[in-house]
mmCIF file of all heavy atoms in Angstrom:
data_model
loop_
_atom_site.group_PDB
_atom_site.id
_atom_site.type_symbol
_atom_site.label_atom_id
_atom_site.label_comp_id
_atom_site.label_asym_id
_atom_site.label_seq_id
_atom_site.Cartn_x
_atom_site.Cartn_y
_atom_site.Cartn_z
ATOM 1 N N THR A 28 4.222 44.066 -5.164
ATOM 2 C CA THR A 28 4.453 43.105 -6.245
ATOM 3 C C THR A 28 5.124 41.838 -5.723
ATOM 4 O O THR A 28 4.729 40.728 -6.096
ATOM 5 C CB THR A 28 5.370 43.735 -7.344
ATOM 6 O OG1 THR A 28 4.716 44.889 -7.826
ATOM 7 C CG2 THR A 28 5.596 42.783 -8.460
ATOM 8 N N GLY A 61 3.685 25.968 -18.409
ATOM 9 C CA GLY A 61 2.739 26.850 -19.109
ATOM 10 C C GLY A 61 1.300 26.401 -18.943
ATOM 11 O O GLY A 61 0.404 27.221 -18.770
ATOM 12 N N VAL A 78 7.414 24.864 -8.310
ATOM 13 C CA VAL A 78 8.012 23.604 -8.719
ATOM 14 C C VAL A 78 9.401 23.446 -8.100
ATOM 15 O O VAL A 78 9.793 22.361 -7.705
ATOM 16 C CB VAL A 78 8.076 23.498 -10.250
ATOM 17 C CG1 VAL A 78 8.939 22.343 -10.691
ATOM 18 C CG2 VAL A 78 6.669 23.341 -10.812
ATOM 19 N N ARG A 91 17.054 17.030 -17.428
ATOM 20 C CA ARG A 91 17.509 17.806 -18.571
ATOM 21 C C ARG A 91 16.806 17.325 -19.843
ATOM 22 O O ARG A 91 16.661 16.106 -20.052
ATOM 23 C CB ARG A 91 19.040 17.627 -18.712
ATOM 24 C CG ARG A 91 19.653 18.516 -19.803
ATOM 25 C CD ARG A 91 21.144 18.273 -19.882
ATOM 26 N NE ARG A 91 21.832 18.638 -18.653
ATOM 27 C CZ ARG A 91 22.249 19.879 -18.383
ATOM 28 N NH1 ARG A 91 22.010 20.853 -19.245
ATOM 29 N NH2 ARG A 91 22.884 20.131 -17.262
ATOM 30 N N MET A 109 8.409 -2.851 2.284
ATOM 31 C CA MET A 109 7.590 -4.036 1.980
ATOM 32 C C MET A 109 8.138 -5.295 2.657
ATOM 33 O O MET A 109 7.386 -6.191 3.029
ATOM 34 C CB MET A 109 7.481 -4.224 0.486
ATOM 35 C CG MET A 109 6.561 -3.220 -0.179
ATOM 36 S SD MET A 109 4.861 -3.244 0.433
ATOM 37 C CE MET A 109 4.271 -4.786 -0.300
ATOM 38 N N ALA A 111 9.571 -5.274 5.632
ATOM 39 C CA ALA A 111 9.120 -5.158 7.023
ATOM 40 C C ALA A 111 7.600 -5.421 7.118
ATOM 41 O O ALA A 111 7.161 -6.134 8.023
ATOM 42 C CB ALA A 111 9.445 -3.758 7.550
ATOM 43 N N VAL A 115 5.655 -8.081 9.618
ATOM 44 C CA VAL A 115 4.840 -7.686 10.746
ATOM 45 C C VAL A 115 3.350 -7.756 10.487
ATOM 46 O O VAL A 115 2.565 -8.136 11.355
ATOM 47 C CB VAL A 115 5.240 -6.273 11.248
ATOM 48 C CG1 VAL A 115 6.679 -6.260 11.760
ATOM 49 C CG2 VAL A 115 5.062 -5.227 10.180
ATOM 50 N N LEU A 132 -15.487 -9.911 9.052
ATOM 51 C CA LEU A 132 -15.231 -10.658 7.825
ATOM 52 C C LEU A 132 -16.208 -10.278 6.730
ATOM 53 O O LEU A 132 -15.833 -10.257 5.557
ATOM 54 C CB LEU A 132 -15.309 -12.185 8.114
ATOM 55 C CG LEU A 132 -14.202 -12.689 9.057
ATOM 56 C CD1 LEU A 132 -14.499 -14.143 9.451
ATOM 57 C CD2 LEU A 132 -12.861 -12.619 8.365
ATOM 58 N N ALA A 137 -17.027 -7.632 1.627
ATOM 59 C CA ALA A 137 -17.748 -6.621 0.841
ATOM 60 C C ALA A 137 -16.764 -5.658 0.161
ATOM 61 O O ALA A 137 -16.945 -5.282 -1.007
ATOM 62 C CB ALA A 137 -18.713 -5.849 1.747
ATOM 63 N N ARG A 152 -5.686 4.873 -7.262
ATOM 64 C CA ARG A 152 -5.775 5.472 -5.947
ATOM 65 C C ARG A 152 -6.950 4.928 -5.136
ATOM 66 O O ARG A 152 -6.835 4.600 -3.958
ATOM 67 C CB ARG A 152 -5.881 7.008 -6.070
ATOM 68 C CG ARG A 152 -5.957 7.726 -4.733
ATOM 69 C CD ARG A 152 -5.794 9.214 -4.896
ATOM 70 N NE ARG A 152 -5.976 9.885 -3.635
ATOM 71 C CZ ARG A 152 -7.092 10.487 -3.255
ATOM 72 N NH1 ARG A 152 -8.150 10.500 -4.070
ATOM 73 N NH2 ARG A 152 -7.185 11.082 -2.103
ATOM 74 N N LEU A 157 -9.082 1.179 -0.811
ATOM 75 C CA LEU A 157 -9.884 0.042 -0.429
ATOM 76 C C LEU A 157 -9.041 -1.124 0.058
ATOM 77 O O LEU A 157 -9.369 -1.845 1.011
ATOM 78 C CB LEU A 157 -10.779 -0.403 -1.606
ATOM 79 C CG LEU A 157 -11.880 0.563 -2.051
ATOM 80 C CD1 LEU A 157 -12.475 0.099 -3.356
ATOM 81 C CD2 LEU A 157 -12.960 0.639 -0.989
ATOM 82 N N VAL A 178 3.112 -2.266 12.499
ATOM 83 C CA VAL A 178 2.451 -2.322 11.186
ATOM 84 C C VAL A 178 2.098 -0.908 10.718
ATOM 85 O O VAL A 178 2.394 -0.543 9.567
ATOM 86 C CB VAL A 178 1.157 -3.193 11.252
ATOM 87 C CG1 VAL A 178 0.450 -3.166 9.908
ATOM 88 C CG2 VAL A 178 1.474 -4.617 11.618
ATOM 89 N N ALA A 194 -0.650 2.036 -9.681
ATOM 90 C CA ALA A 194 -0.526 2.782 -10.907
ATOM 91 C C ALA A 194 0.614 2.254 -11.735
ATOM 92 O O ALA A 194 0.588 2.294 -12.969
ATOM 93 C CB ALA A 194 -0.318 4.268 -10.617
ATOM 94 N N ALA A 200 -3.549 -5.864 -9.495
ATOM 95 C CA ALA A 200 -4.814 -5.712 -8.784
ATOM 96 C C ALA A 200 -5.695 -6.937 -8.899
ATOM 97 O O ALA A 200 -6.312 -7.398 -7.948
ATOM 98 C CB ALA A 200 -5.547 -4.469 -9.269
ATOM 99 N N ASP A 221 -0.189 -20.412 11.222
ATOM 100 C CA ASP A 221 0.974 -20.377 10.309
ATOM 101 C C ASP A 221 0.518 -20.255 8.847
ATOM 102 O O ASP A 221 1.184 -19.599 8.059
ATOM 103 C CB ASP A 221 1.838 -21.627 10.485
ATOM 104 C CG ASP A 221 2.705 -21.580 11.750
ATOM 105 O OD1 ASP A 221 2.786 -20.469 12.347
ATOM 106 O OD2 ASP A 221 3.290 -22.612 12.120
ATOM 107 N N GLU A 224 -0.591 -16.683 8.241
ATOM 108 C CA GLU A 224 0.596 -15.817 8.179
ATOM 109 C C GLU A 224 1.337 -15.974 6.857
ATOM 110 O O GLU A 224 1.736 -14.987 6.236
ATOM 111 C CB GLU A 224 1.539 -16.127 9.348
ATOM 112 C CG GLU A 224 2.754 -15.227 9.376
ATOM 113 C CD GLU A 224 3.577 -15.418 10.639
ATOM 114 O OE1 GLU A 224 3.136 -16.151 11.554
ATOM 115 O OE2 GLU A 224 4.686 -14.797 10.724
ATOM 116 N N ALA A 226 0.134 -17.003 4.010
ATOM 117 C CA ALA A 226 -0.669 -16.510 2.894
ATOM 118 C C ALA A 226 -0.557 -14.981 2.769
ATOM 119 O O ALA A 226 -0.437 -14.470 1.662
ATOM 120 C CB ALA A 226 -2.141 -16.911 3.100
ATOM 121 N N LEU A 250 11.111 -11.920 -1.954
ATOM 122 C CA LEU A 250 11.361 -11.094 -0.752
ATOM 123 C C LEU A 250 12.498 -11.650 0.057
ATOM 124 O O LEU A 250 13.356 -10.916 0.533
ATOM 125 C CB LEU A 250 10.088 -11.101 0.118
ATOM 126 C CG LEU A 250 10.035 -10.176 1.333
ATOM 127 C CD1 LEU A 250 10.250 -8.727 0.891
ATOM 128 C CD2 LEU A 250 8.758 -10.336 2.058
ATOM 129 N N HIS A 258 21.940 -8.532 3.609
ATOM 130 C CA HIS A 258 22.931 -8.982 4.567
ATOM 131 C C HIS A 258 24.274 -9.212 3.939
ATOM 132 O O HIS A 258 25.259 -9.460 4.612
ATOM 133 C CB HIS A 258 22.461 -10.281 5.249
ATOM 134 C CG HIS A 258 21.255 -10.049 6.136
ATOM 135 N ND1 HIS A 258 21.299 -9.300 7.282
ATOM 136 C CD2 HIS A 258 19.969 -10.493 6.006
ATOM 137 C CE1 HIS A 258 20.090 -9.273 7.849
ATOM 138 N NE2 HIS A 258 19.260 -9.966 7.110
#
Side-chain angles (χ1 to χ4, degrees):
T28 301
V78 168
R91 187 182 296 276
M109 287 300 287
V115 296
L132 293 171
R152 180 169 175 261
L157 292 170
V178 176
D221 283 349
E224 182 172 353
L250 187 60
H258 292 295

